[in-house]
Amino acid sequence: MRAFTCGHCGQLVFFENSLCLRCSTELGFVPSRLEVVALTEERAAGLRRCANVTMAGCNWTLEANEPGPLCRSCRLTRTRPSDHDAEGLAAFVKAEGAKRRLLFGLFELGLGVETGGLQFDLLSSHSAPVATGHADGLITIDLAESDDARREARRAQMDEPYRTMLGHFRHEIGHYYWPILIEQTGELERWRELFGDERTDYGASLQRHYEQGPPADWSDRHVSAYATMHPWEDWAETFAHYLHIRDTLQTAAAFGLFVTGPRETGDPSLMAAPAEEDADDRSFTALISDWLPLTYALNAVNRSMGRDDLYPFALAPAVIEKLSFVHDRVRSGRLVAP
Ligand SMILES: [Zn+2]
Ligand SMILES: [Zn+2]
Ligand SMILES: [Zn+2]
């Protein structure tokens, strides 16, 4: 994420702000420019708020040439909780916030969302069960996961080190990009060498995973235990981590946060000095040489506050190789999915 300032008074503001808390200037996010702007100064050019400002807590805007009334993010949501479902609607606001962060990261990487029929069903499992997942461009998210207590209970039950709404979105979008970045680009054979054969029976794999759990040595080759379930899940988990890494590195850079202190993270080949080039043009090895020391430092910072680690994962060499493949596919995906 970038660091944003109020266009009127210069105060640092967040991606989510619709108002400057210092000077009360109305703020809005412009997707085509990836900027938070002072709306009062841009309205003359035809910039207007998304109609979901209250319903979805949306601070995105539409430009003069865009059909209304919803922004690029809100337009992608096909189904939301009914007007009578107060609990579901509160969870919907949180989910839409995570979705906008997801989309920001995709736009920043040059990955398009308007091809492939991407849509979201954001459903509350209050009355009927909801299965989070992806099918043919449609991503379904269980809004119960917006509730901190329920999500934390599920995280503990599944023995996962990390579980967030944003993480769910980043995992599911990995499934969405699989046909676009792999299947349709002639990279399937190389992909199978790294992730395995996706023709493996999915239902049987799922059953095996929940009956037997992951293999004991799963962390040698996989970023998470769930990634061992099936090659498609390995891809989605790895893709989500790639988005975590790129976004967090960008945020650190936006605030001038570079680790210049201890950088020893166990692998001397990854100990290159921080590079200055644009992240898109850097090899993944260069990115990871910044990422590992940063995660050590931020995990230590979190522990100082009595919090869990910010990034509670260890990346084995085989996982870094998969992430590097994702990096290359995303860079070429800027061409196939504008
Ligand atoms: Zn201001
Ligand atoms: Zn919107
Ligand atoms: Zn999945």
Side-chain angles (χ1 to χ4, degrees), residues 1 15-16 94-105 141 145-146 151 162-173 240-241 243-244 247-248:
M1 183 55 68
F15 174 62
E16 290 80 7
K94 287 190 188 177
E96 286 285 358
K99 173 163 146 268
R100 286 190 296 275
R101 280 201 170 247
L102 165 78
L103 293 174
F104 176 91
I141 296 283
E145 292 274 326
S146 281
R151 188 184 60 257
Y162 170 94
R163 193 176 177 92
T164 65
M165 204 55 158
L166 182 55
H168 287 311
F169 276 104
R170 285 179 172 161
H171 172 104
E172 299 306 334
I173 207 74
H241 274 256
L243 296 181
H244 292 330
D247 189 38
T248 307

Side-chain angles (χ1 to χ4, degrees), residues 63-75:
E63 293 170 80
N65 59 354
E66 276 184 274
L70 297 177
C71 73
R72 267 182 94 182
S73 172
C74 290
R75 282 204 293 271

Side-chain angles (χ1 to χ4, degrees), residues 2-304:
R2 300 181 186 196
F4 302 104
T5 53
C6 168
H8 184 68
C9 76
Q11 165 91 3
L12 273 173
V13 295
F14 286 106
F15 174 62
E16 290 80 7
N17 280 41
S18 54
L19 192 71
C20 173
L21 295 180
R22 184 206 244 168
C23 74
S24 299
T25 294
E26 276 194 66
L27 303 174
F29 177 77
V30 187
S32 67
R33 288 152 55 184
L34 298 176
E35 281 175 8
V36 172
V37 303
L39 264 184
T40 29
E41 281 144 41
E42 301 260 355
R43 275 209 174 96
L47 204 69
R48 61 199 195 281
R49 274 205 188 287
C50 170
N52 266 359
V53 58
T54 306
M55 172 65 73
C58 181
N59 68 337
W60 284 26
T61 60
L62 292 89
E63 293 170 80
N65 59 354
E66 276 184 274
L70 297 177
C71 73
R72 267 182 94 182
S73 172
C74 290
R75 282 204 293 271
L76 294 172
T77 299
R78 188 181 75 161
T79 317
R80 63 160 174 83
S82 79
D83 290 341
H84 311 290
D85 181 359
E87 192 183 316
L89 286 175
F92 172 71
V93 172
K94 287 190 188 177
E96 286 285 358
K99 173 163 146 268
R100 286 190 296 275
R101 280 201 170 247
L102 165 78
L103 293 174
F104 176 91
L106 300 177
F107 296 162
E108 191 72 77
L109 293 173
L111 289 174
V113 296
E114 273 97 6
T115 54
L118 180 63
Q119 286 194 304
F120 293 85
D121 278 355
L122 306 181
L123 306 176
S124 171
S125 57
H126 197 54
S127 46
V130 175
T132 292
H134 167 268
D136 297 327
L138 177 66
I139 289 174
T140 302
I141 296 283
D142 178 6
L143 291 174
E145 292 274 326
S146 281
D147 181 83
D148 293 342
R150 288 178 75 167
R151 188 184 60 257
E152 177 61 16
R154 281 188 197 178
R155 186 194 68 73
Q157 182 195 350
M158 316 273 261
D159 197 22
E160 295 171 346
Y162 170 94
R163 193 176 177 92
T164 65
M165 204 55 158
L166 182 55
H168 287 311
F169 276 104
R170 285 179 172 161
H171 172 104
E172 299 306 334
I173 207 74
H175 290 303
Y176 167 77
Y177 279 116
W178 187 81
I180 297 168
L181 296 179
I182 307 298
E183 197 176 34
Q184 295 163 14
T185 58
E187 292 290 330
L188 195 51
E189 283 314 308
R190 174 67 185 139
W191 183 86
R192 282 179 183 152
E193 287 169 20
L194 288 168
F195 293 89
D197 193 332
E198 82 287 358
R199 292 164 295 191
T200 309
D201 188 277
Y202 190 89
S205 300
L206 185 69
Q207 194 178 1
R208 188 210 66 235
H209 182 74
Y210 286 117
E211 282 174 7
Q212 301 170 19
D217 60 350
W218 65 264
S219 61
D220 291 348
R221 298 202 51 79
H222 296 87
V223 73
S224 68
Y226 186 65
T228 64
M229 200 271 268
H230 188 275
W232 273 332
E233 299 311 326
D234 191 14
W235 162 259
E237 287 287 272
T238 308
F239 195 88
H241 274 256
Y242 180 74
L243 296 181
H244 292 330
I245 291 169
R246 288 298 301 268
D247 189 38
T248 307
L249 276 175
Q250 186 193 23
T251 307
F255 285 88
L257 199 63
F258 291 104
V259 177
T260 57
R263 289 175 63 86
E264 182 55 63
T265 54
D267 184 343
S269 70
L270 298 174
M271 288 304 101
E276 298 294 325
E277 316 99 88
D278 181 358
D280 280 335
D281 296 326
R282 297 174 62 194
S283 71
F284 190 72
T285 311
L287 293 181
I288 211 78
S289 75
D290 280 350
W291 175 244
L292 296 181
L294 181 69
T295 59
Y296 274 73
L298 293 177
N299 286 350
V301 167
N302 267 26
R303 289 180 188 209
S304 290

